[in-house]
Structure formats: C-alpha cells, structure tokens
Amino acid sequence: MKSILIFTILVFAAVPSCNDEEELIGEDILQDIGIIGKWKLDSRAVDGISNLAVQCCDYIEFEQDKQTDSLSGNFKAYGYLFQTNGIFTLNLNEESILFQYDNTQKVYTYTLEENILAFRYTENGQEISETWRKELP
C-alpha cells in the first residue's frame, strides 16, 4: 500500500514538470536559431564585385523582445557615423528577414550557418550580398 501511494505521488509530481518542459520547448526560438547576438560585417559585394577594402566597424545586434515565443525582436545597426534601431521579423519558410525602422521596411533573404550570417538584397537596382560574423562573448 505504501509503495502504491509513493508511486502515485511521484506520478503526480512528475506530470507538472513534464508540462513545464513542454512549455519551455521553443520558448527562446530566436536564441535556438542562433541569430541573437552581436555580428560584425565581414564582407560586402555589389553586383558580384567584392569591395577589397578592409571592412571595419559595422555591426548589427539582434536582441529578443519580451515575446520569446515569436520570430520578432529588436535590432541595432551601427558603424562609422550611423546608428539605426528597429524591429526585425524572421520568415523561416521564405528564409527572409524584415527590418522595420523609422518609416522604412526592408526585406532581405538570409542564410545562417554556425557563426556566419549572409544577407542578399537589392538596393537602388544593385544586388548586394553581405557576410557577417558573430562576435563570440
């Protein structure tokens, strides 16, 4: 009888912890994807022509917003003489990212592998491709 009571108590004690684990899965989606953090511009090409100048001092930081179960967050892009703050939203199906800041919206396609983030987009009729490296803490 004692063993049945102990077993019952253990089962009921385990059930809430299983539900808590299920709720935690996917809670930090952007963190799991790997986009959260500080990224430094590594290379940039315009219409397939790489700029051979040393890429210096352009960064973008992605932060999770208060809704950790969404694909949206906040970003800050900055470098020499500029800083932009706004909101980003990932579209996993289309592998695109929407940047919204001031009264502007831009959509880039992206790939993210390990600590390399690549963007492709068109600006003023030119095809731009950028490679960013994640700054590790």
Side-chain angles (χ1 to χ4, degrees):
M1 181 73 167
K2 252 186 184 180
S3 61
I4 293 173
L5 180 61
I6 291 173
F7 177 76
T8 305
I9 291 171
L10 288 175
V11 168
F12 283 112
V15 169
S17 65
C18 290
N19 288 340
D20 290 344
E21 278 183 21
E22 287 174 6
E23 288 175 12
L24 289 176
I25 294 173
E27 218 174 72
D28 294 330
I29 296 171
L30 295 174
Q31 189 71 39
D32 293 343
I33 290 169
I35 198 163
I36 299 300
K38 182 177 180 179
W39 300 79
K40 183 177 191 260
L41 182 62
D42 190 52
S43 66
R44 187 172 197 264
V46 178
D47 290 331
I49 300 170
S50 296
N51 183 347
L52 297 178
V54 175
Q55 301 296 325
C56 174
C57 311
D58 285 352
Y59 294 91
I60 188 165
E61 293 182 29
F62 295 101
E63 298 175 346
Q64 193 119 20
D65 60 15
K66 292 179 182 176
Q67 289 186 304
T68 58
D69 62 343
S70 76
L71 292 172
S72 295
N74 301 308
F75 79 91
K76 175 172 65 172
Y78 56 95
Y80 183 68
L81 298 177
F82 81 95
Q83 180 170 330
T84 303
N85 297 304
I87 298 168
F88 73 94
T89 304
L90 294 179
N91 182 324
L92 300 180
N93 294 330
E94 295 181 13
E95 294 182 327
S96 65
I97 183 168
L98 168 66
F99 290 102
Q100 299 176 63
Y101 56 94
D102 301 328
N103 291 322
T104 304
Q105 291 188 357
K106 293 186 178 186
V107 178
Y108 297 178
T109 59
Y110 76 92
T111 56
L112 177 57
E113 296 180 18
E114 296 293 318
N115 295 319
I116 304 292
L117 175 61
F119 291 133
R120 292 184 66 90
Y121 58 97
T122 302
E123 188 169 83
N124 299 324
Q126 297 178 312
E127 183 71 25
I128 311 292
S129 59
E130 298 176 340
T131 303
W132 298 76
R133 290 195 182 273
K134 193 169 200 175
E135 299 276 293
L136 301 175

